[in-house]
Amino acid sequence: DASIRAILNENLVPVTLGGDHHISNPLIVSLANFTQKPVNVVHFDAHNDLYENFEGNKYSHASPFARIFEVNNESNTWNNLRWQFVFL
């Protein structure tokens, strides 16, 4: 969150690369909290990643977008594609 805020405070757009779902949630939540408006997301993946929880873990690899929708619930998010782009 601090890294993303530092980038946004400089009026720059953060770009992140990675294949782990733990990257998506804090990035999108930080952007939504900073801008105080919904963040539009295009999520390219083979799965929705919308499980309320998976095997009792609400922060599992199967649940990141369920958590994101809790904070960023007015966004336009497209799921079931194969990559992820975040638009401000």
Side-chain angles (χ1 to χ4, degrees), residues 19-26 28-29 43 45 47-54 57-72 77 79 84:
D20 187 275
H21 288 306
H22 290 95
I23 293 171
S24 303
N25 190 322
I28 295 166
V29 170
H43 175 228
D45 198 323
H47 309 96
N48 286 338
D49 303 325
L50 289 170
Y51 280 84
E52 180 57 33
N53 69 65
F54 183 71
N57 181 358
K58 73 183 276 182
Y59 296 102
S60 79
H61 67 285
S63 304
F65 279 88
R67 303 292 72 80
I68 289 165
F69 280 129
E70 290 173 352
V71 174
N72 193 44
T77 300
N79 275 303
Q84 178 173 298

Side-chain angles (χ1 to χ4, degrees), residues 1-84:
D1 187 53
S3 297
I4 296 301
R5 286 181 179 278
I7 292 167
L8 293 169
N9 282 328
E10 295 294 324
N11 293 319
L12 300 172
V13 176
V15 176
T16 64
L17 302 173
D20 187 275
H21 288 306
H22 290 95
I23 293 171
S24 303
N25 190 322
L27 170 65
I28 295 166
V29 170
S30 291
L31 288 169
N33 288 337
F34 184 87
T35 62
Q36 294 296 302
K37 60 184 180 181
V39 176
N40 296 317
V41 177
V42 178
H43 175 228
F44 291 84
D45 198 323
H47 309 96
N48 286 338
D49 303 325
L50 289 170
Y51 280 84
E52 180 57 33
N53 69 65
F54 183 71
E55 297 181 351
N57 181 358
K58 73 183 276 182
Y59 296 102
S60 79
H61 67 285
S63 304
F65 279 88
R67 303 292 72 80
I68 289 165
F69 280 129
E70 290 173 352
V71 174
N72 193 44
N73 61 1
E74 296 179 18
S75 70
N76 296 310
T77 300
W78 299 271
N79 275 303
N80 260 350
L81 304 170
R82 200 64 185 147
W83 298 91
Q84 178 173 298

